[in-house]
Amino acid sequence: MKLVNIWLLLLVVLLCGKKHLGDRLEKRSFEKAPCPGCSHLTLKVEFSSTVVEYADPVVPCNETRWSQKWQSSRPLRRASLSLGSGFWHATGRHSSRRLLRAIPRQVAQTLQADVLWQMGYTGANVRVAVFDTGLSEKHPHFKNVKERTNWTNERTLDDGLGHGTFVAGVIASMRECQGFAPDAELHIFRVFTNNQVSYTSWFLDAFNYAILKKIDVLNLSIGGPDFMDHPFVDKVWELTANNVIMVSAIGNDGPLYGTLNNPADQMDVIGVGGIDFEDNIARFSSRGMTTWELPGGYGRVKPDIVTYGAGVRGSGMKGGCRALSGTSVASPVVAGAVTLLVSTVQKRELVNPASMKQALIASARRLPGVNMFEQGHGKLDLLRAYQILNSYKPQASLSPSYIDLTECPYMWPYCSQPIYYGGMPTIVNVTILNGMGVTGRIVDKPEWQPYLPQNGDNIEVAFSYSSVLWPWSGYLAISISVTKKAASWEGIAQGHVMITVASPAEAESKNGAEQTSTVKLPIKVKIIPAPPRSKRILWDQYHNLRYPPGYFPRDNLRMKNDPLDWNGDHIHTNFRDMYQHLRSMGYFVEVLGSPFTCFDANQYGTLLMVDSEEEYFPEEVAKLRRDVDNGLSLIIFSDWYNTSVMRKVKFYDENTRQWWMPDTGGANIPALNELLSVWNMAFSDGLYEGDFTLASHDMYYASGCSIAKFPEDGVVITQTFKDQGLEVLKQETAVVENVPILGLYQIPAEGGGRIVLYGDSNCLDDSHRQKDCFWLLDALLQYTSYGVTPPSLSHSGHRQRPPSGAGLATPERMEGNHLHRYSKVLEARLGGPEPRALPACPHLSWAKPQPLNETAPSNLWKHQKLLSIDLDKVVLPNFRSNRPQVRPLSPGESGAWDIPGGIMPGRYNQEVGQTIPVFAFLGAMVVLAFFVVQINKAKSRPKRRKPRVKRPQLMQQVHPPKTPSV
Amino acid sequence: MPPGPRASRVPRPGRRAPRPRRYGEPRGHGVAPAPEEEEERAVRDRNLLQVQDHDQPILWKVQFNLGNSSRPSNQCRNSIQGKLLITDELGYVCERKDLLVNGCCDVSVPSTKQHCCDGCLSNGCCSAYEHCVSCCLQPSKQLLLERFLSRAAVAFQNLFMAVEDHFELCLAKCRTSSQSVQHENTYRDPVAKYCYGESPPELFPA
């Protein structure tokens, strides 16, 4: 069954303490620094990937409530998304200049919220809900806490962690570290316990209450990978359908791709990624396409927008301010901005989850050099969003708003590989936002209008789309293919798709008449002649299974703090580095999202199967055999499968209150062995681990299996490893020599293909990879594509006689496994799971082209994003430019430098009147003088390192790589 | 210690999952009490662990039978969210295209039905939210709802304390909730999951 476990990832910077950063990093998990009276800065950080010990790590301070305890029996589930950060502090002692650049900022002022405040907008009459860890009753930063409710099993409404207070502060704090909308009605929903526990069922009840209370904006600084938690996902849709604008954090699992968190990955939710104050995507920010659509489709673009999420200042638990990092922080920045924006709109009935998202993404500022699967539409621009929202007419729009497959890097990965005749169709999954109504539909069909002067007739497109656009949104997936007549043509082809969206009439329109909106989607692609067969690789996506829904364990058993295989196993998610490498080597990589019976093997040199968990239809086994006989080559990177180990890695999931038993090992070896049996090959149930050298490359074998059986005339390479199976099962260490790990085989028949087996996939996978083996993949592709046996392998000292299979067990499928529940191949039958009937291969019906004698504009990006709004023509009201200065934080000032009472306009400050700017100015001058002195001091000191280092060096240490050294 | 997730899979003291809530078990508070009161109650509850402190009947403010005449105008509240259907406060369920500008269903359309229980089972659970609300608005359901409020709704105080009339009660009652799930992330019954009745959906065999 599925998991809905929820934990908090709370890693927090405390602006206090005295110790040296370097000393503390060595300890990896830190004690809570004694705070009173401290004058210097230190940070307290714990990082997930640093804890890799076998034994349960000792947590040095149990009182430190921030620490994530990895002993949790619950796997990574929905979590609160903030990160420890504040690395700039570490550099304070090195150079004042860096300190100046990297100070925690007043995020509301940085985003120019004060311009809207001065116009009198402060979030009044907007109901904003914070679903988090609660808030204390009399927190000094909040003036309009309408209600606090508790949905946990702890009898308190107060925040015992600080996460909820911080989030609420970013949205609505009125003093010190100011939020965006101090006058908004705050509704505090406590859905996390102080032990960082939460449940879907608590959320469901709390969400129902939010609907009843007619909440306008709801912040969810939480997330987890389980997008198949239907009760939760359905409920989020229900909220959106009830006009609640949902804002959620995209996740802190970056920089790995395929790490988007739910609910931020839903198309009705505003998913927010994080950047730092220098407009770099924060390393932690989750990214990559959504993975719901795999294997047959292609993911949607997320996050929707990005904003400041690193070193943002917000409210402390009892008052004061502190800095925090994470998409947990970025989310309330957007939620606060949205709340403020809602209060600026006169015609409130025009504000809905779609129109707000349309305004945010149409106004966002694109960051240079960053692709759309990292930044979405770019960086939040509050004032431009204000302009758009206040001239908004209900309409539909698209995300992305154009498709330019030639535009790099923004349209990566599309721009990384041109399309050609005979290739798998390229799919772009566009999200339709419909600001006209909660439900809508596409009228007739989308139309494809190729531009004849621009060779638009050289491509064909096919559509699949939501039959009903609900709630406020839907999808339009566009499959693009090259026509036969352009099989040897090279050039750019352009055209556009037109769709008309209709929604039922709203109150003010004529009775019965539907509202409609027509949107144009420009398309531009690069076509090349089809590359030769030897250059084309087909990636088997169809046989990759992952969490959710089932428990598919990680391929590397040491990664116990992230035990689930949840990144999609796609060349554009966690196999991205491998894909980039293959492209750089001149290979073309396509993705097979359907059974082996659905591709033309004559087109491809090599079928690449990595870490496959799925079973195979008998028809697939037969077809693959024929294909290999006819010259298709096969490279299989397998993984471990040992039923004893699988039983051992079961765990009790506290949140679903049941035992979780893996449904396969790292790979499904029993199924692979059936596929391979015709060639007299098999993998074993062994489980090996160790470092080794192959062809003078350092390699690491992470929880891999061995080859049990291989044909006599094949080449087999062996290595000496630790028996990890024994280690897991009996805690004993044993070294095994001559473990066969790599086998190369040429089908003897005329024109036959080649088969390569390797026992571990970890060296190709970006998640938790320690040493890549792309060089090996190159060598193997040389072999499969061109028949060149790399001398480094064939003449290796590690070459041994191929194993005959005698004496080595090949694994049987684990008794009682539930693979059939998640399999596309198996179904439950009396007497055990059996293969289903082979499904029909996907059939695309190409849209009938309606050619136009038109020429596309050269810059598709600049085309109008929303109708009747021309951003260049909208003029902002006469904003006052003498906005209060944002002062830098200097060491020793800690939280004390905030101007008491704040600089917020409105009722709260009326008595203070005009004196505040004067104070601000004087304060700024004092600080400026301080820094002038500091800079002069720094200049007189000997230089410690190059002056133009872009990032503080310590940042690298503080952010350990995803692949820790064991 | 062996590697692998299992090495850390024993629930640890202090990090234990909360025990499953039973139906009717109190959970959470209503609107925020004053801090002193909050403190006091927290202590008391801890002392009283087993003794449920809900002898006093909750004073629900739900008003049934406001009747058509009491509605301020010819405007209707409705169920807002529906993908295809919508239910107005008079209990009419109609297709979204048949919703009038005043928020009421167009009763002249043949497909519009009042107090419609299509797809509702005998346990009071329906396969469509709009039909659940429409069915729940039958005057005859008032007894059932009152009984629900007097017994089971204690577990949902936050929610049902805030409900003001029959329509709001039905809107809230029919939604999926903590009662609708097993193992947190699956529906007890993936089809008939919208319930106006007292009991949770039938547990669908896994």
Side-chain angles (χ1 to χ4, degrees), chain B residues 64-97:
Chain B
F64 290 96
N65 297 328
L66 282 174
N68 298 355
S69 56
S70 66
R71 286 192 302 125
S73 65
N74 59 350
Q75 298 284 315
C76 292
R77 292 172 295 163
N78 60 47
S79 59
I80 302 171
Q81 66 185 56
K83 191 176 195 170
L84 304 167
L85 300 175
I86 199 156
T87 303
D88 69 18
E89 63 181 302
L90 302 174
Y92 287 101
V93 58
C94 59
E95 290 183 39
R96 284 214 73 119
K97 66 175 171 55

Side-chain angles (χ1 to χ4, degrees), chain B residues 160-177:
Chain B
F160 293 107
M161 286 283 281
V163 161
E164 302 205 340
D165 64 12
H166 193 172
F167 180 64
E168 280 191 358
L169 179 58
C170 289
L171 281 183
K173 182 69 195 71
C174 281
R175 296 189 195 284
T176 58
S177 71

Side-chain angles (χ1 to χ4, degrees), chain A residues 2-4 54 71 73 147 153 155 199 201-202 205 208-209 234-235 238 242 439 470 648 651 655-656, chain B residues 1-2 4 6 8-9 15 17-18 21 31 45 81-83 101 158 175-176 178 183-185 187:
Chain A
K2 290 163 255 166
L3 300 177
V4 187
Y54 276 12
Q71 306 89 323
S73 65
E147 181 177 31
N153 58 353
R155 298 188 168 271
Y199 289 92
S201 54
W202 295 352
D205 294 345
N208 285 341
Y209 191 61
D234 288 350
K235 187 58 74 180
E238 187 178 335
N242 281 282
T439 72
W470 181 93
K648 199 92 178 178
F651 62 88
N655 273 20
T656 56
Chain B
M1 285 287 283
R6 64 140 291 283
S8 62
R9 291 307 151 202
R15 296 266 302 163
R21 262 183 295 119
V31 280
D45 286 343
Q81 66 185 56
K83 191 176 195 170
V101 172
N158 278 344
R175 296 189 195 284
T176 58
S178 55
H183 300 312
E184 297 292 329
N185 62 354
Y187 288 116

